[in-house]
Amino acid sequence: MKLALSLVLFLALVPALASGVAAQSTSGTGQRVAALRAQLLDVQAKEDALQARARQLNEDLKPENIERSLAGIGSTKPEELRDLRRRQLTIERESLRTQLNLLSASRERLESAIRTAESAAYQQSAEGFATPLDQTMLAQNAISPRWSVGILVGLVAVLGIAFVIALIRRNVGRSN
């Protein structure tokens, strides 16, 4: 009788374990989406900081601001100092533009990757509910891992039930 009880418990736990395996594959996709979103937020924060610095540089490049920044410095050639300051600010602005272009491209790639990962997560979560016609036709020739696990679990359940029935009949036959 203890054996029959342990088999019944085993049969109750096997489907729960199989559904846990299927849920883990879905959560992996969700974790990827979350990681990509975190990267996107990081890129956007860097992009915002660089844009603020670029606005500041554009303000600093105005002739009156260059003049004001060099007001406390005495020189016999102030025009050369202003040109030097303008060149420094222009070089920094161009460097920022390059960095902003790289970050923009990175942001676009991340947004595309997020869309792809979300689509994959959606397809993975909807896989058990409805399959489009083309996926159904492709699936006719191949068995997915999820179906393989389901078939295996079903087979083990049927064998377990048959074993329990055989044990019960054997015990009933002994009592008569």
Side-chain angles (χ1 to χ4, degrees):
M1 194 58 150
K2 287 182 181 180
L3 180 63
L5 181 61
S6 62
L7 282 175
V8 169
L9 288 174
F10 173 74
L11 292 176
L13 291 177
V14 167
L17 292 173
S19 65
V21 168
Q24 284 177 356
S25 65
T26 304
S27 69
T29 307
Q31 289 174 350
R32 175 164 165 70
V33 170
L36 288 171
R37 286 182 192 262
Q39 288 177 358
L40 180 62
L41 287 174
D42 185 41
V43 167
Q44 287 173 337
K46 288 177 184 177
E47 199 171 17
D48 290 343
L50 288 177
Q51 286 173 347
R53 180 64 183 141
R55 283 191 298 272
Q56 180 63 44
L57 282 173
N58 285 333
E59 188 67 28
D60 290 347
L61 274 167
K62 291 182 179 177
E64 61 271 11
N65 290 333
I66 290 175
E67 192 72 39
R68 191 176 303 125
S69 70
L70 298 173
I73 301 174
S75 173
T76 57
K77 300 178 184 178
E79 188 60 38
E80 287 180 11
L81 284 177
R82 286 191 293 270
D83 286 342
L84 178 62
R85 179 73 177 145
R86 187 175 295 112
R87 278 191 301 246
Q88 289 172 340
L89 292 173
T90 303
I91 289 169
E92 187 176 350
R93 183 179 62 181
E94 293 306 314
S95 173
L96 280 176
R97 283 184 182 165
T98 302
Q99 290 176 6
L100 281 170
N101 289 339
L102 290 172
L103 283 175
S104 177
S106 178
R107 178 178 40 80
E108 290 171 7
R109 280 193 309 272
L110 283 170
E111 288 171 348
S112 174
I114 287 171
R115 283 190 299 272
T116 303
E118 285 175 340
S119 174
Y122 175 76
Q123 288 176 354
Q124 200 172 28
S125 70
E127 190 175 273
F129 299 113
T131 56
L133 182 60
D134 59 343
Q135 287 181 351
T136 303
M137 293 173 73
L138 288 173
Q140 288 176 354
N141 295 329
I143 296 176
S144 71
R146 183 180 276 175
W147 278 102
S148 299
V149 170
I151 291 170
L152 182 64
V153 168
L155 182 62
V156 169
V158 169
L159 289 175
I161 290 172
F163 184 71
V164 169
I165 290 173
L167 282 176
I168 292 173
R169 284 189 178 177
R170 194 173 88 182
N171 286 339
V172 169
R174 285 185 184 173
S175 355
N176 289 336

